[in-house]
Amino acid sequence: MTTLATLAQRNRAFAATHPGQRPGLEPSLKTVILCCADHRADPAHVLGLRPNEAIVIRNPGGRVTPDFLRNLGVLATIARVEHLSSGFELILMQHTDCGLSHLSPETHAEVLAPFLGVGPAELGAKNLSDPMEAVRSDIALLRQNPFVPPR
């Protein structure tokens, strides 16, 4: 059986056990999680998330990028239009041995710079090989964004 057939079969089984049940638009934990796309660091497993508990956005490295900030802006607009809570928590979840840390800022600048929204000369400040510093630099970037509360 192909991967697609396996997943489609799983979806049919899931749908059969949830007829007509539509979860609310607001996740029950009122949380947005930015995490790495790496399959080894799945927040459902690592954090024990259940369905409908959090909004999970994944990208290489779990990094704050221009695309992520645009996503936050869209989510904030949806929340405002739908009169949802503005008291969401934001969890930034990065990890060690991330594939992104295996890319050299010098050798892979043409991929990394646009992804991270910086010029090639600024890639060193993104701390690709140090997850603790990467989190610190991304938190500093988040603090500059109007869609993120100051806390």
Side-chain angles (χ1 to χ4, degrees):
M1 183 178 292
T2 68
T3 300
L4 181 58
T6 298
L7 296 176
Q9 181 180 5
R10 289 178 187 175
N11 180 255
R12 282 190 296 277
F14 173 82
T17 62
H18 295 84
Q21 295 177 3
R22 182 177 172 210
L25 193 54
E26 187 171 66
S28 63
L29 295 179
K30 296 182 181 175
T31 302
V32 174
I33 300 170
L34 170 60
C35 60
C36 187
D38 191 323
H39 65 281
R40 300 169 299 166
D42 187 329
H45 300 131
V46 174
L47 302 175
L49 287 177
R50 294 187 182 115
N52 310 311
E53 286 188 328
I55 295 169
V56 177
I57 300 173
R58 298 178 77 163
N59 70 25
R63 298 304 304 260
V64 174
T65 65
D67 285 339
F68 171 71
L69 295 173
R70 283 188 285 275
N71 287 339
L72 276 186
V74 171
L75 291 171
T77 302
I78 292 169
R80 191 171 49 255
V81 167
E82 294 296 323
H83 308 290
L84 302 176
S85 169
S86 61
F88 275 62
E89 291 189 61
L90 176 59
I91 296 173
L92 183 59
M93 186 177 127
Q94 297 176 5
H95 66 100
T96 56
D97 192 32
C98 177
L100 199 62
S101 71
H102 297 227
L103 300 181
S104 161
E106 296 79 23
T107 307
H108 301 100
E110 74 284 351
V111 171
L112 293 170
F115 171 67
L116 294 167
V118 298
E122 300 167 282
L123 285 172
K126 290 299 182 177
N127 303 296
L128 295 172
S129 62
D130 184 343
M132 296 302 282
E133 285 303 316
V135 168
R136 285 185 190 96
S137 87
D138 280 1
I139 288 172
L141 186 57
L142 283 170
R143 287 189 171 135
Q144 300 170 12
N145 189 280
F147 298 112
V148 179
R151 260 181 6 112

